[in-house]
Amino acid sequence: MPKPPPAPDDRDDLPDDASLFREAVGPVRGVRSAPRAPGAPPPRPRARMAELDEMEAVQSMRSISHPDPVAAGDVLSHRRESVPPAVFKRLKRGEIAAQDELDLHGANADQAERVLREFIVHAHREMLGCVRVVHGKGLHVAAPFGGPALPVVKNVVDRVLRQRGDVLAFHSTPAAQGGTGAVLVLLAPKRR
């Protein structure tokens, strides 16, 4: 038969639960803490000032490489010395067929530059000789602060194509192929 619980006045004489537990367990020794698992290494420090200097240098290079912006109706034209004048004349007339085309309508300046560079690399890797880049005429560009309205994507295309070593020549297309809203690009042959 179980023992009835003690009366409330007898409870003060009973040992507490913690002391009963220590009596039941007996002497104990402490456990060493386990070593921490190795975590991810801390990130490498970034040279922020060097990155800013690099960005500033790129921006100044862009402005130096083509200081005069191209207007909406201007013809884009560039030829390296290695391109014979007769070949350049055929390019200007649109007599060299474009093997691929890139349309940059709706792209902002950063998107246009990235996509154009990727397209030229792809065309060069595929050993295409001539491609067409449609950049638009820039007639719907709003003039900032009352200045002249300049076609942003057209200026990006002009700058990027002039800087690339794999571009031999380029010229705005004839009117039937897009006029001043597109450009035919003659690419250097891929070296083997």
Side-chain angles (χ1 to χ4, degrees):
M1 193 160 146
K3 217 173 172 183
D9 55 347
D10 293 341
R11 286 192 181 163
D12 292 339
D13 299 337
L14 294 176
D16 63 341
D17 288 342
S19 60
L20 285 174
F21 177 76
R22 279 194 288 282
E23 267 181 48
V25 172
V28 295
R29 78 174 178 202
V31 178
R32 291 186 193 160
S33 62
R36 287 187 156 197
R44 288 186 152 175
R46 287 178 40 207
R48 288 188 192 100
M49 292 307 289
E51 289 173 3
L52 291 173
D53 288 346
E54 181 70 23
M55 287 182 357
E56 187 177 313
V58 167
Q59 291 299 332
S60 66
M61 240 349 242
R62 286 178 177 172
S63 64
I64 292 171
S65 65
H66 201 303
D68 297 326
V70 180
D74 291 351
V75 171
L76 299 184
S77 184
H78 177 73
R79 175 181 74 92
R80 293 189 185 270
E81 294 292 323
S82 61
V83 177
V87 172
F88 189 61
K89 195 174 201 177
R90 287 185 56 220
L91 183 72
K92 286 168 66 171
R93 291 181 183 162
E95 295 172 358
I96 300 176
Q99 297 164 303
D100 202 355
E101 180 174 283
L102 172 67
D103 190 345
L104 295 172
H105 279 106
N108 64 28
D110 292 334
Q111 292 167 338
E113 182 171 350
R114 181 181 45 79
V115 172
L116 177 60
R117 289 182 188 281
E118 290 171 1
F119 177 72
I120 296 296
V121 167
H122 166 76
H124 192 254
R125 186 177 2 169
E126 295 296 316
M127 295 188 271
L128 303 179
C130 183
V131 294
R132 181 182 302 111
V133 178
V134 179
H135 47 71
K137 296 182 181 182
L139 299 175
H140 304 289
V141 177
F145 309 111
L150 298 174
V152 176
V153 175
K154 185 174 183 176
N155 277 282
V156 167
V157 169
D158 185 50
R159 177 180 47 79
V160 169
L161 293 179
R162 287 177 188 275
Q163 293 173 348
R164 294 202 57 96
D166 48 4
V167 173
L168 296 176
F170 62 88
H171 195 279
S172 291
T173 58
Q177 295 179 20
T180 58
V183 63
L184 286 172
V185 182
L186 189 62
L187 298 171
K190 186 175 180 182
R191 293 184 184 165
R192 295 180 188 238

